[in-house]
């Protein structure tokens, strides 16, 4: 008996990725697709502009799109809703007793809402006990650029401490949703600006890497500088990082610590969990979006080019799939974690 | 009477840009095109794979390609030679009495060879008086990423002093020459590595911004960290910079100093000189390669997104045309400067 | 004293091209920019998303956008209006006494409206004497793919007659307007469909190549088959044509006839007229959008690869700039023609 | 016990696709990777520039590259050799008793060499009985553009007969091998020429669709016209076809016949065989390379936009994966067919 789940924002880019990743899922079965007014009551295949490179799964084609109201036939919903509407809608679902795992940014900094990457801070999930949603709850996953970065930082923080870091992102087009970036703006071009993105990268890692005590998260104390650019790549965010550690370390130690990093979720037999969360490549031209974004089901973080930095301590390059690891995949992993821990239903 | 000039490496990407920029030049007339063995003796149009978006000028089509030997009918040569051969060939031209202005990296760190951006360190050109090339001389222009960056740094250095900076480049395809980067490697991709490029950005600005005393250049004392990436853009290098100044400054002062920056070459009526070397854009999504690379004949540096940096002092984004401002255009500007100053012939 | 002109739909892609081509125009001066409700009353630079690779001309930046109503300070208007609104608005301008030269498809098949490529059928302009617009008139230029194709057909029709042709287009992104095609739809992709385009290519050449007798145009009798695709190219439509002539001809004769083709407008000293309307390239890999779209100010048609066809008679490839030759440039050329002929004001 | 197979030209683009498709293959096991001189004796992972979007399989990384000489530990070899060397090398393997299935064009028109698409003309394989290679044999698969096209033609030929057809291809970059097309030539561009390609499309279908009688193939009698272009797409050739049938037919009948088409190989339980060789899409914007190239393991042909043609009878658009269906996948399917039929070993 699989657990019935609903997708909020099912026609959008994250919604499509939820559907793609949940086809044939061993725990979950999609029983409801919800989207905006103009799609409600129609067949999914008639209202969606499917743009994933893998075909639309047959089982969703004939499903009738539901309104985003808390009357869906499931208790767990994954939300790929747009920020413009996610705030109120997600609250209404939680209040009605649904477990909401959201990819939207609206509730990420609510005091009682955990902002979770399962490999990094699954302990923060206990915050939901302090929520006032009755049987329901509201959990968020971080921004797409934040997830890959924070996963790479976690083992360094644990071992050496981190004082400061600077990151320049080269972000993929799918991060802007659909239709998103006009082809006339990005062909033969890069755009050195993504509204609101730099703020998220400066703030979200501090909450994720923060310390839970009782019902409160004390943010981590790291200075983060970010510059974000959009590049003509379909999927996969590349990030150029320079970092200052608290304790000095050798290059070999850092690589060793990354490659050996395992968290509790790697031992729980969760379908979406990568076997090895962080891969280090010694080829100086790696990682690359086209070659490595799909590593370990798109859930691994690929790192390369660790070098001494004349300004801070080290520079390196990291890559992660922005709509899988950076969005729908992490949300599903949270759902899997909750399920295994019997934290729901 | 125009000054006859030769182009070494005339079939390559920088060679083509030399030809494009020197058509109808008021000072110079191309009288010799030199290239490698396999092209010698043939018509230029039959051996070149012209890939500039503007058509090949008619006057070069029928010119017979010469060997790269110091028997060309001119005294000034612009060299777009490949590093593999530039070292010895350029020396042989200088020794034979030619004035060589080179875009290759081979001689950039020779003690007596100036590494010049005319707006920044035209005073370094006096070094050629200490060269042992008789009537000849050897001058180099910097690497494509270095030129735009160093131009942006110069007024900041003069006014505030610079302690350190970190730069991440998003470099265009034309910087890799022709055929250069395979389309299979770069479509839907970025490559976080360009061999030798990070070293150049760490070292070249120090010589350019260094102090000339007698016949010696004392390098500037700035810590520079660089990470270089290749992106699917035809022309125009974008650079994301974070910088630590010696004297604190306001954002407004920095912008003011950039916009007002003029050097001696802006007053000399040189055809290749930009009217305003540095443009600051207040639109947060600017500068962009496609929109701004051709500003002021491709010789201007475009800057935007100056922001406080939580790690160093400020971050900003800059853009310059890599084969014009970053290569052939700067070399020609050096030639124009020498001509106006009667430093040659 | 220049003639004042207005631009309808000034913020759109064709509107931007009108502005670009009319900066420093010897006949015309832009005195009014008109656009939709949401832009009216604001500065042009604040409402437009300028995406041409050349900077926005200074003189339009501060111009206040007007409503698309026939109260503009000019008598000649170039319309880049969208099909959704062009029908009624253009009629209202013509009725109010404006000369309207339109790029929209709405009125192209009105009985009394000429559909004009000046080099092909400037005689059709006499139709406007039969219009019921009083001092005003309404003239249309053809679809972007049609213009280049029909120009290539005209000399063949005159000399050999044409029975049938088949064309496959590879059309540029700028043809879809802005924002137009989503980058997620077209990066690493081509789309074998452009709504309504095949119909235009099958019908428009028949009217343009038709015969004017009195106040009526007898369409040409040619069977045309078309398949249209969208490709990731910014500007420049490529068309693969196979053609069946009425009189057999040699390859050399056809090329000769194309290269020698001149029309009345080539002798009238019109600023927008190409010197040579049709260029034939013998390089088998030519023409290419990136290399040849800007030939002769973007107003030339480039042709190559003429070969015997085992099914019809000959195949060849042609290229023309879709927003210059295929839209704004041809409209301006019509305006120049009218001006020189004193057919207006 | 799997059958040991060798890959000739293992480092090239088709070679990589062979390796990718043969990982975990139920019939075959790669026991030898052979390539050119400069790679021989080295580990595969050290000499290959792997550019497929899926990671290099682990089992090939440490394999030592062998010379392309008939001393490989296997009897069946798949050849992805370059045309420049394939002719003699493949003959030498066949003469030494190897079964050679080749993707190169060299032997495709040898009288006794079958040119095979298993779904279309597996009966032609009996030609190998007339070869003079002893225990060895030599079989070829067709050109990448030909395979998809000919599969679409086969059921039409069988049912209606075909008089003539015209095809314009929009071919992917991977068809040119690696490094292949320079990014500077194809970004923001299309190239209307691929050397030798049009000839292959005009000739190869005639042999494939020809009739075998005794030891001789009588070519089909169809007039084929082809124009080939290269577009900035990584994988997947799109073809715009117009066709004249011998017997008139309705659109519905044609679609029905395509969708119902099955060949003998669909009933043989061959791992590489598509379940349904031809898919027809009713969405007017389909098929598209990015969306449909991987359909049915990359072995299906996708068709759409069937319309009446004013010049011939019908136009339609087809798509197939050029390095899977159009090269390595079809070669492997030939190998699987031979194996099941006990035509080897």
């Amino acid at each position: 008996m699989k657990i019935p789940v609903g997708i909020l924002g099912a026609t959008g880019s994250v919604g499509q990725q939820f559907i793609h990743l949940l086809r044939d899922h061993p725990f979950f079965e999609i029983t409801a697709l919800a989207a905006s007014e103009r799609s409600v009551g129609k067949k999914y295949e008639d209202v969606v502009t499917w743009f994933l490179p893998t075909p639309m799964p047959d089982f969703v084609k004939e499903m009738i799109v539901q309104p985003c109201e808390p009357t869906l036939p499931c208790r767990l919903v994954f939300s790929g809703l747009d920020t413009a509407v996610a705030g109120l809608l997600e609250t209404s679902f939680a209040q009605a007793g649904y477990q909401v795992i959201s990819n939207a940014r609206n509730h990420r900094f609510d005091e009682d809402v955990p902002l979770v990457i399962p490999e990094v801070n699954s302990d923060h999930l206990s915050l939901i006990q302090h929520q006032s949603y009755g049987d329901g709850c509201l959990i968020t996953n971080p921004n797409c650029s934040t997830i890959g970065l924070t996963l790479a930082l976690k083992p360094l923080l644990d071992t050496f401490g981190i004082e400061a870091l600077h990151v320049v992102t080269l972000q993929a087009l799918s991060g802007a949703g659909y239709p998103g970036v006009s082809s006339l703006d990005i062909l033969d071009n890069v755009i050195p600006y993504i509204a609101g993105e730099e703020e998220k990268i400066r703030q979200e890692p501090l909450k994720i890497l923060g310390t839970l005590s009782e019902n409160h998260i004390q943010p981590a104390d790291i200075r983060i500088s970010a510059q974000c650019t959009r590049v003509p790549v379909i999927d996969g965010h590349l990030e150029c990082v320079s970092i200052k550690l608290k304790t000095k370390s050798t290059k070999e130690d850092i690589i060793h610590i990354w490659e050996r990093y395992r968290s509790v979720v790697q031992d729980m037999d969760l379908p979406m969990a990568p076997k090895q969360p962080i891969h280090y490549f010694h080829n100086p031209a790696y990682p690359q979006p086209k070659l490595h974004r799909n590593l370990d089901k798109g859930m691994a973080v690929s790192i390369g080019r660790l070098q001494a930095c004349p300004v801070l301590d080290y520079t390196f390059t990291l890559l992660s799939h922005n709509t899988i690891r950076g969005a729908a995949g992490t949300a599903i992993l949270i759902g899997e974690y909750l399920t295994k821990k019997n934290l729901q239903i």
Side-chain angles (χ1 to χ4, degrees), chain A:
Chain A
M1 274 290 293
K2 292 189 184 179
I3 297 167
V5 300
I7 311 296
L8 308 184
T11 57
S13 62
V14 175
Q16 293 184 27
Q17 198 59 264
F18 275 125
I19 289 169
H20 171 64
L21 295 173
L22 289 172
R23 75 193 185 292
D24 307 320
H25 193 280
F27 296 4
F28 304 128
E29 179 181 21
I30 295 177
T31 57
L33 300 176
S36 65
E37 205 67 23
R38 62 170 186 75
S39 302
V40 169
K42 298 176 185 156
K43 284 186 196 169
Y44 184 71
E45 72 171 332
D46 292 341
V47 295
V48 72
T49 304
W50 188 263
F51 61 86
L52 293 185
T54 44
M56 191 188 309
D58 285 332
F59 76 95
V60 293
K61 289 183 180 170
E62 306 272 319
M63 283 180 75
I64 302 300
V65 175
Q66 312 281 320
C68 284
E69 292 164 12
T71 56
L72 303 180
C74 57
R75 272 205 58 218
L76 174 61
V77 293
F78 292 106
S79 165
L81 287 172
D82 203 77
T83 291
V85 298
L88 290 175
L89 286 179
E90 291 173 1
T91 301
S92 74
F93 271 87
Q95 284 173 337
Y98 286 80
Q99 279 108 359
V100 180
I101 302 177
S102 168
N103 186 59
R105 74 153 193 268
N106 307 58
H107 293 288
R108 285 181 190 155
F109 284 92
D110 290 3
E111 273 283 301
D112 56 3
V113 170
L115 180 62
V116 176
I117 305 166
E119 288 95 334
V120 174
N121 64 333
S122 54
D123 60 314
H124 289 196
L125 287 167
S126 66
L127 268 187
I128 61 176
Q129 297 158 7
H130 304 282
Q131 292 181 347
S132 50
Y133 293 127
D135 286 351
C137 70
L138 184 42
I139 300 167
T140 58
N141 67 253
N143 165 267
C144 52
S145 301
T146 301
I147 294 178
L149 175 65
T150 308
L151 247 166
L153 296 180
K154 172 65 172 168
L156 303 187
L157 178 69
D158 289 350
T159 316
F160 310 113
I162 299 174
E163 256 188 64
L165 62 113
H166 181 266
V167 57
V168 173
T169 64
L170 288 79
Q171 299 188 214
L173 299 166
S174 59
Y178 182 84
V181 182
S182 164
S183 56
L184 288 171
D185 283 333
I186 201 69
L187 189 65
D188 184 21
N189 204 16
V190 297
I191 303 174
Y193 178 63
I194 301 173
E197 196 77 1
E198 296 169 354
E199 291 77 2
K200 291 177 199 161
I201 298 179
R202 287 200 292 257
Q203 297 163 0
E204 294 186 6
L206 306 185
K207 177 167 180 177
I208 304 164
L209 296 171
T211 312
L212 177 76
S213 59
E214 309 247 337
N215 57 352
H216 178 73
I217 292 168
Q218 177 63 30
D221 180 22
I222 303 172
R223 282 175 298 138
I224 302 178
S225 173
Q227 292 174 282
C228 295
T229 74
R230 184 77 68 194
V231 294
V233 166
I234 294 173
D235 291 311
H237 287 357
L238 191 84
E239 309 187 24
C240 296
V241 184
S242 52
I243 191 166
K244 189 169 183 58
L245 303 173
K246 287 196 171 150
T247 311
K248 296 314 159 202
S249 165
T250 66
K251 191 176 153 181
E252 288 65 34
D253 279 354
I254 292 174
I255 294 172
H256 182 76
I257 279 163
W258 273 330
E259 292 186 322
R260 299 290 290 273
Y261 186 67
R262 296 293 182 282
S263 80
V264 60
V265 309
Q266 268 69 46
D267 295 327
M268 288 171 65
D269 205 22
L270 304 179
M272 204 70 223
K275 284 187 194 122
Q276 179 180 332
I278 300 172
H279 291 249
Y280 187 84
F281 290 89
H282 292 272
N283 181 327
Y286 288 1
Q288 294 177 18
K290 192 181 142 199
L291 296 178
H292 305 108
R293 58 192 168 202
N294 291 320
L295 194 64
D296 215 339
K297 297 159 294 188
M299 288 295 284
V301 175
S302 298
I303 306 184
R305 294 192 60 60
L306 182 69
Q307 296 186 91
C309 170
V311 176
L312 302 180
D313 288 339
Y314 284 101
T315 58
F316 61 89
T317 307
L318 77 82
L319 174 92
S320 64
H321 195 297
N322 54 301
T323 62
I324 300 179
R325 179 76 257 190
T330 290
I332 293 172
L333 185 57
I334 295 171
E336 294 173 352
Y337 180 90
L338 292 174
T339 302
K340 271 273 171 150
K341 289 281 190 190
N342 281 315
L343 291 178
Q344 64 168 17
I345 304 170

